[in-house]
Amino acid sequence: MEADKLLDFALTQLCSGTSLSERLKSAKALFVAEVYQSLWDAHKFRNALVHETNFEPSQRSCMDAVAQIKAGLVELGAKI
C-alpha cells in the first residue's frame, strides 16, 4: 500500500486527475506498455488487498506488486 502511495505522489507531480486511476490513465505515454500494464496490475492488487475481505495474497505476490511499482517509479526517473 505504501508503494502505491508513492506512485500516486509521483504521478500527482506529473499529470492531472483526482485519483490514482485517473492519473495512471493520464500518464500512459510516460511508460512502456509492459510497465504501464504492470502498474495497473499492482494498483488492482492494492485495491483487492484493501477492499476484498477474503483476499489473502501470498508473500510472493505482495513482493511482485511492490517490484512492479518500483519499476514504474524508476521509469519515471526515481533513484531507488
Side-chain angles (χ1 to χ4, degrees), residues 10-59:
L11 292 179
T12 299
Q13 309 305 306
L14 300 171
C15 54
S16 62
T18 59
S19 66
L20 178 53
S21 295
E22 289 179 9
R23 285 186 277 280
L24 266 175
K25 290 175 188 173
S26 296
K28 185 174 184 174
L30 300 176
F31 303 100
V32 296
E34 300 83 24
V35 171
Y36 181 73
Q37 184 57 54
S38 69
L39 289 172
W40 271 111
D41 294 341
H43 183 58
K44 288 188 251 182
F45 179 87
R46 176 262 180 211
N47 285 344
L49 188 64
V50 171
H51 299 293
E52 295 178 21
T53 57
N54 293 327
F55 185 66
E56 296 182 24
S58 67
Q59 181 178 3

Side-chain angles (χ1 to χ4, degrees), residues 3 38-39 42 60-73:
S38 69
L39 289 172
R60 181 76 209 159
S61 56
C62 292
M63 291 171 59
D64 288 346
V66 170
Q68 290 168 322
I69 292 173
K70 180 180 177 182
L73 291 170

